[in-house]
Amino acid sequence: MITNKIFQKNPYLKTLESSVSSLNCDKKTAKLILTDTIFFPTGGGQSCDKGFIKFNENKYPVIDVYEAGKEVVHVISIEKNRGKLPEEGAKIALEIDWKHRFDNMQRHCGEHILSGVIYKLFQGTNKGFHMGEEYITIDIDFSQSDYSKLTWQMAEKAELEANKVIWKGASVHTDYFDNRELASGLPLRKPLAFDEDISIVTIGDFSEPDDCVACCGTHPRFASEVGLLKIYKIESNKGMSRIYFEAGNRAFNTYQKQFNTLYDMSLRLSTSTTDIANAYESQLSYINELKKQLSNFRGSAINHAVQEIVSKLAKKNNSSDNPKDDGCGNLKNDGYNNLKNEACNTQSKEKSNAAEQLETESAVPVFSYTEFAVDDILNISKKLFMLDKDTACIKNNLISMVCASENTVILLSDGSKDTRNCAKLAELAREKFQGKGGGKPVSARIYFPDRNNLDKFIKYISQSSTKNTTTKCNN
């Protein structure tokens, strides 16, 4: 049975009474074919109408509408409403979502106007059209014109001319023809692709129309109802020029949001909306200069940190590397020997705080930074490796550098022993202290979820290294 498409004759009709020709159901949906409908089915680049079908006291949302031959199928959701469904021949009420319908009418007519203008100005042919949620796109082919592509200057000219068609309120006609011969006399922008049931939309006078092309969509009676058309951007696409634009209420809403953003920026920059670009360039130059200064300061701070580390490691190595026995069982390091002898003489299982600190410093020097980021500390480590050839500051050492703000530890060593194998220590951090990361035997980067786990890890590797490096007491 052929469904009578009332929307073709009157696209402004919002409600209608109709009869059910057939109905098929599953658990979640029902598919109805009606004698008459105001619901536009998906087609011609335009989405279907939304709305409701009412039967008795039940109101069912229409979630899809499509054509099957000459019938229009209405898909309704019955998942949340399992009331009695209409039977064949039953009277029902239709109600479309007018906001959605008029939105489609504005956008689709805007597409016709812009395509017609581009064809008249530049002989560009519309080869593809899509009405998306965020914008409309059309793909313009210039292979049969004197132009190779659409430039922004051409787009601006087309945009102005399209809005002139809107402002003059050109009439919009939709005519229906049974066959190609009857429709062929019109000044069509594109050749017909159908042989029967042809609908032609003409904008402006038939003698010299602003656009004339086959289309099955819904359109307003006058171009002025489109209101506004705005091109957003253009780009190359498969040898054609793709135009992103919007029309109608959507174009106005986008313009309003963008202008509000410009107005807010003008207040922040203490300038007018027309001078934002200059104010921005001035701010950008100032920021770039600050970045240069910051980079110089950071470089100086990093170099100072490197010198400080090298200096401290040099002192440590001179005082503790291979100390000689003085013949009395003491090492030539008075501070260390005093603490060592005190611990040995008292046969205490707990080392004194001073001795523990010294041994910890001897085993794993820890350098903690609150102002440096991880990348800065990585730069410090690179410089230390470069200097190591001359200073040997890393040799026989396991160095720990802490980024306090990011709970991250950078380990450096010569990788010569298991207790100084950074990769193995990173594995230990993952197993015992919830650390993440890894590295090589000579360097590793480890992130901890909190400072508590980081401190425990540092203490653990310091104690482990101390046990392996401290001279034992003989009773």
Side-chain angles (χ1 to χ4, degrees):
M1 180 176 180
I2 299 176
T3 303
N4 187 18
K5 301 173 184 177
I6 304 298
F7 59 82
Q8 290 182 335
K9 300 174 183 177
N10 186 359
Y12 292 86
L13 196 60
K14 303 177 183 68
T15 60
L16 180 73
E17 284 192 358
S18 185
S19 300
V20 178
S21 298
S22 68
L23 181 144
N24 293 300
C25 300
D26 56 31
K27 291 183 179 180
K28 295 182 179 181
T29 63
K31 297 178 180 180
L32 291 83
I33 296 175
L34 312 177
T35 55
D36 309 280
T37 188
I38 53 173
F39 281 87
F40 175 81
T42 298
Q46 180 176 322
S47 63
C48 68
D49 280 324
K50 300 177 182 178
F52 296 93
I53 287 179
K54 301 176 184 178
F55 175 69
N56 292 335
E57 299 300 321
N58 298 309
K59 188 175 182 179
Y60 301 96
V62 177
I63 59 176
D64 192 17
V65 186
Y66 61 91
E67 284 190 282
K70 294 184 179 296
E71 297 175 329
V72 177
V73 180
H74 305 71
V75 183
I76 61 174
S77 175
I78 60 175
E79 189 174 7
K80 295 182 180 180
N81 188 348
R82 301 297 299 186
K84 184 179 179 181
L85 292 171
E87 299 176 350
E88 186 175 333
K91 298 293 184 182
I92 59 173
L94 312 182
E95 178 185 340
I96 64 168
D97 179 341
W98 174 248
K99 183 179 179 180
H100 177 73
R101 160 68 71 81
F102 191 64
D103 179 49
N104 275 347
M105 290 167 65
Q106 287 184 311
R107 301 177 84 201
H108 204 153
C109 189
E111 178 270 323
H112 279 245
I113 293 170
L114 182 60
S115 296
V117 164
I118 291 175
Y119 182 74
K120 290 180 69 174
L121 290 176
F122 312 117
Q123 300 81 51
T125 303
N126 184 342
K127 294 290 188 179
F129 159 56
H130 177 68
M131 287 169 53
E133 282 300 315
E134 297 182 358
Y135 42 73
I136 308 168
T137 60
I138 53 176
D139 293 323
I140 305 298
D141 177 26
F142 289 98
S143 61
Q144 303 300 316
S145 74
D146 295 331
Y147 302 88
S148 59
K149 64 178 182 179
L150 188 73
T151 65
W152 186 247
Q153 290 72 23
M154 293 165 65
E156 286 185 317
K157 185 175 181 179
E159 180 183 72
L160 177 60
E161 292 303 316
N163 279 291
K164 285 182 179 179
V165 174
I166 295 171
W167 299 334
K168 74 179 182 181
S171 59
V172 181
H173 307 274
T174 302
D175 298 289
Y176 300 92
F177 303 91
D178 292 331
N179 55 61
R180 179 189 293 267
E181 287 71 27
L182 293 173
S184 60
L186 294 175
L188 296 168
R189 167 166 52 89
K190 294 171 65 176
L192 292 173
F194 304 97
D195 293 323
E196 58 182 15
D197 295 330
I198 300 167
S199 55
I200 305 294
V201 175
T202 305
I203 300 174
D205 297 330
F206 286 102
S207 59
E208 192 175 348
D210 296 295
D211 190 47
C212 184
V213 71
C215 178
C216 64
T218 53
H219 298 272
R221 293 192 181 101
F222 298 96
S224 56
E225 294 180 73
V226 174
L228 176 69
L229 186 143
K230 187 72 186 78
I231 295 176
Y232 296 157
K233 69 174 182 176
I234 57 176
E235 66 181 19
S236 297
N237 181 59
K238 298 178 181 179
M240 296 181 285
S241 294
R242 173 165 288 181
I243 305 175
Y244 295 78
F245 69 102
E246 198 50 89
N249 189 54
R250 294 196 187 212
F252 173 77
N253 288 338
T254 299
Y255 168 77
Q256 193 172 54
K257 289 177 182 177
Q258 291 177 345
F259 183 81
N260 287 341
T261 299
L262 288 176
Y263 182 69
D264 181 58
M265 289 178 64
S266 71
L267 295 178
R268 296 186 184 195
L269 294 170
S270 300
T271 189
S272 66
T273 55
T274 57
D275 199 43
I276 285 177
N278 291 331
Y280 171 76
E281 288 298 329
S282 177
Q283 286 287 324
L284 192 61
S285 297
Y286 177 67
I287 291 171
N288 287 335
E289 182 60 32
L290 288 179
K291 285 182 178 179
K292 290 180 182 178
Q293 294 178 18
L294 179 61
S295 178
N296 291 335
F297 284 132
R298 178 172 275 113
S300 297
I302 288 173
N303 288 334
H304 177 76
V306 170
Q307 292 171 6
E308 185 179 39
I309 292 172
V310 170
S311 176
K312 288 184 177 181
L313 290 177
K315 290 179 180 179
K316 170 185 173 295
N317 292 339
N318 289 334
S319 63
S320 62
D321 278 2
N322 301 316
K324 295 183 178 180
D325 194 310
D326 64 358
C328 300
N330 291 323
L331 300 177
K332 291 184 176 181
N333 182 331
D334 293 341
Y336 180 84
N337 280 318
N338 289 338
L339 292 170
K340 170 179 172 289
N341 290 335
E342 179 183 348
C344 289
N345 292 333
T346 59
Q347 297 184 354
S348 172
K349 293 183 180 180
E350 298 293 329
K351 298 179 177 69
S352 70
N353 291 334
E356 182 174 329
Q357 180 182 359
L358 179 60
E359 289 176 2
T360 298
E361 290 176 352
S362 263
V364 182
V366 179
F367 301 90
S368 183
Y369 302 100
T370 57
E371 302 299 329
F372 284 143
V374 170
D375 286 344
D376 296 323
I377 298 177
L378 290 173
N379 283 331
I380 292 173
S381 67
K382 290 177 182 178
K383 289 179 179 290
L384 288 173
F385 274 119
M386 291 174 63
L387 291 172
D388 191 53
K389 296 178 180 178
D390 298 323
T391 63
C393 58
I394 298 177
K395 185 178 180 181
N396 296 328
N397 278 314
L398 173 61
I399 305 168
S400 174
M401 295 185 289
V402 177
C403 177
S405 62
E406 300 182 47
N407 292 327
T408 300
V409 174
I410 307 297
L411 297 177
L412 303 179
S413 79
D414 59 7
S416 59
K417 294 183 178 180
D418 284 349
T419 54
R420 293 198 291 266
N421 187 310
C422 298
K424 289 186 177 181
L425 292 174
E427 183 178 351
L428 173 72
R430 293 195 298 270
E431 293 175 353
K432 293 182 176 293
F433 304 100
Q434 302 179 40
K436 294 181 179 179
K440 300 177 292 186
V442 296
S443 65
R445 173 177 176 175
I446 312 164
Y447 165 78
F448 295 90
D450 51 58
R451 185 58 190 250
N452 184 45
N453 277 286
L454 186 154
D455 289 339
K456 286 181 178 179
F457 171 72
I458 294 295
K459 184 177 181 180
Y460 183 91
I461 62 174
S462 296
Q463 291 176 341
S464 298
S465 185
T466 298
K467 292 177 181 178
N468 284 278
T469 59
T470 303
T471 304
K472 294 183 179 181
C473 302
N474 294 316
N475 295 330

